[in-house]
Amino acid sequence: MDAETNQIESVVDDQQEKEPVPPRETRIKVRDLVKVFQDEGRGQLTAVADVSFECYSGEIFGLLGTNGAGKTTTLRMLSTLLKPTSGEASVMGHEVTSQSQQVRRSIGYLSTTTALYPRLSCRETLDFFARINGYPESKIEERVNHLVDRFGLSDYADARIERLSTGMTQKVAIARTVAHDPPVVILDEPTNGLDILNVLDFHKLMRELQAAGKTVLFSTHTMSEAEKLCDRIAVIHRGRILACGTLDELRERSGHRYLEDIFVWLLDQHGEEAGPELETM
């Protein structure tokens, strides 16, 4: 068994037999999703407007947009933390409003504001999140050991979270997101706080999850990251999807090679400017 296979087994559950993942199994469906906030000073604010897309098994899907574009609000609705104003969304066939418990069991979610319990150690944190998300009791210790190893946490495994650096804390947060080996992983700006070496390791993790048949939906405003990782990209601006497709499809449509040029071209085509946007809600 080679090193790459070992890395994959450190992230996904290698103790139970998994059925072959059907090609292009739809795991996330979003149709005409809308979120309107009521602000005392500014009235009604539409953070997400008629957003639609699908994500498949074994796919890395990127939600690309500047700060305040509606990325976080969209992911929070898919993670059942916000109720949509209108529209439909489902994860693993479970509707996000009426079947929220089933959705939560199916996902690992990392938000930009994810907080860890400061007085727990790294090991205790991973154990806790595996346990509360229903990972088999008899396999939790082995699972935690896998994750401690995979994420390079061995030297800090028994250190309290409050004593860790920002980058190390973010690594623990990412590890706890996959602690229960969910089929769908939703990550909001996951490389915030990571140095370049840890960013590269995170990119490797994304490929491992993809190779294991997971669905990865992540938001970013970093064009190079989206270019490098994503099978498909949805460009979102002021709460609306301007385009969705593979990088090659976006290149063919725009006539531009680089994603930053494609992004600016899309804004121009929709009469938009890359100016201040609605604040992230």
Side-chain angles (χ1 to χ4, degrees), residues 184-225:
V184 174
V185 180
I186 300 175
L187 307 166
D188 192 7
E189 303 281 0
T191 54
N192 283 352
L194 297 180
D195 61 32
I196 182 60
L197 292 179
N198 284 322
V199 168
L200 293 175
D201 188 58
F202 170 77
H203 292 173
K204 187 184 296 183
L205 167 67
M206 297 279 272
R207 293 301 185 199
E208 292 170 15
L209 293 170
Q210 180 183 40
K214 308 296 185 184
T215 298
V216 180
L217 168 60
F218 84 107
S219 70
T220 183
H221 59 265
T222 306
M223 307 289 173
S224 59
E225 192 165 65

Side-chain angles (χ1 to χ4, degrees), residues 29-36 46 48-53 74 77-78 82-91 94-99:
K29 290 183 181 180
V30 179
R31 288 288 177 270
D32 303 320
L33 203 61
V34 175
K35 183 60 184 178
V36 178
T46 301
V48 173
D50 300 315
V51 162
S52 299
F53 60 86
T74 299
M77 286 190 284
L78 290 176
L82 278 178
K83 185 177 180 180
T85 303
S86 63
E88 300 176 351
S90 64
V91 178
H94 306 301
E95 210 278 328
V96 296
T97 54
S98 63
Q99 298 175 299

Side-chain angles (χ1 to χ4, degrees), residues 136-180:
E137 175 83 24
S138 62
K139 299 179 180 179
I140 288 177
E141 183 178 357
E142 189 166 2
R143 176 66 175 165
V144 169
N145 289 336
H146 271 311
L147 294 172
V148 165
D149 224 26
R150 168 59 186 84
F151 284 88
L153 300 172
S154 298
D155 292 341
Y156 309 93
D158 298 310
R160 287 181 178 177
I161 298 298
E162 63 188 358
R163 297 183 180 277
L164 301 181
S165 67
T166 299
M168 191 60 66
T169 301
Q170 182 71 350
K171 287 178 71 173
V172 177
I174 295 171
R176 75 103 186 127
T177 301
V178 298
H180 55 299

Side-chain angles (χ1 to χ4, degrees), residues 70-133:
K71 305 186 301 295
T72 293
T73 302
T74 299
L75 298 188
R76 290 183 72 188
M77 286 190 284
L78 290 176
S79 303
T80 76
L81 297 179
L82 278 178
K83 185 177 180 180
T85 303
S86 63
E88 300 176 351
S90 64
V91 178
M92 298 298 292
H94 306 301
E95 210 278 328
V96 296
T97 54
S98 63
Q99 298 175 299
S100 58
Q101 291 294 336
Q102 293 94 320
V103 171
R104 291 171 190 167
R105 284 196 291 267
S106 302
I107 67 172
Y109 175 57
L110 176 72
S111 77
T112 54
T113 56
T114 293
L116 301 176
Y117 297 105
R119 297 183 67 82
L120 290 183
S121 69
C122 296
R123 190 183 302 279
E124 289 168 340
T125 297
L126 298 179
D127 182 286
F128 174 75
F129 280 98
R131 200 174 296 278
I132 65 169
N133 284 294

Side-chain angles (χ1 to χ4, degrees), residues 225-245:
E225 192 165 65
E227 282 186 342
K228 182 177 181 178
L229 292 175
C230 297
D231 298 299
R232 289 187 301 134
I233 300 165
V235 177
I236 186 170
H237 187 69
R238 300 189 191 277
R240 296 183 181 275
I241 300 288
L242 303 187
C244 181

